[in-house]
Amino acid sequence: MIQELFTPSVQHWLDLIGIFVFAISGALMAVRKNWDVFGIAALAEVTALGGGLFRDLVIGAVPPAAFTDLGYFLTPLLAAALVFVLHPEVERTQVAVNVFDAAGLGLFCVTGTTKAYDYGLGLTSSAVLGLATAVGGGVLRDIIANEVPSLVRWDRDLYAVPAIVGAVIVVLCIRFDTLNGFTSGVAVLTAFILRLLAMRYHWRAPRAWNRRSAAVEVPEEVS
């Protein structure tokens, strides 16, 4: 089985690391919105677990891991507590948080794709679900916080594209029977580096040609 690329212990810790950094981003947004402690914790949980929960429900991996492993539930609460108490310090380390978020994006698009394929989905559907795993929590975070999701905002650095690239690499490796620990690592690293480069050079997706929209770019908040 494809999931055997990662031992259960390694998979568990990789998931927890990704969950933690995504929860940080959710908790920080709640603080900026001036939400109370419950709101901070709730947004951290949704951001961290939303993508994986959606994936597990689609593929029939029920009950989802978020409801069967206490660590999955407690890790976002730990992140929320840290932000609640130390949010000025966390804000100052935003660059580091963004780096870990990019690493989580790369990891989740790969593990999400492999898990979807392992549960019987086709290559294209597995790649789509890998993308959903990586970006789903952030979309839910923005919707709950009454923001236009960063995923579809033209004035934000590329986020979905690196995840798509990582997922496509995985399904191509599956198609040609070359998926292993090394090629999986290449997929994670590729998505990670693309996201970092997008943040560094502000790469953005093209918009429609000859558009008539009068929309103007607004200053981008750190997220």
Side-chain angles (χ1 to χ4, degrees), residues 119-194:
Y119 272 77
L121 269 66
L123 294 178
T124 301
S125 298
S126 296
V128 170
L129 205 51
L131 169 64
T133 303
V135 306
V139 171
L140 290 174
R141 174 200 64 203
D142 293 343
I143 292 173
I144 292 173
N146 199 30
E147 297 275 344
V148 176
S150 298
L151 182 69
V152 297
R153 286 189 58 169
W154 60 269
D155 59 336
R156 296 297 172 93
D157 302 332
L158 293 178
Y159 194 74
V161 171
I164 292 171
V165 171
V168 168
I169 291 174
V170 172
V171 296
L172 287 175
C173 289
I174 294 173
R175 172 64 179 81
F176 295 104
D177 198 25
T178 58
L179 187 66
N180 51 45
F182 175 76
T183 54
S184 295
V186 169
V188 171
L189 191 60
T190 300
F192 172 63
I193 292 175
L194 281 177

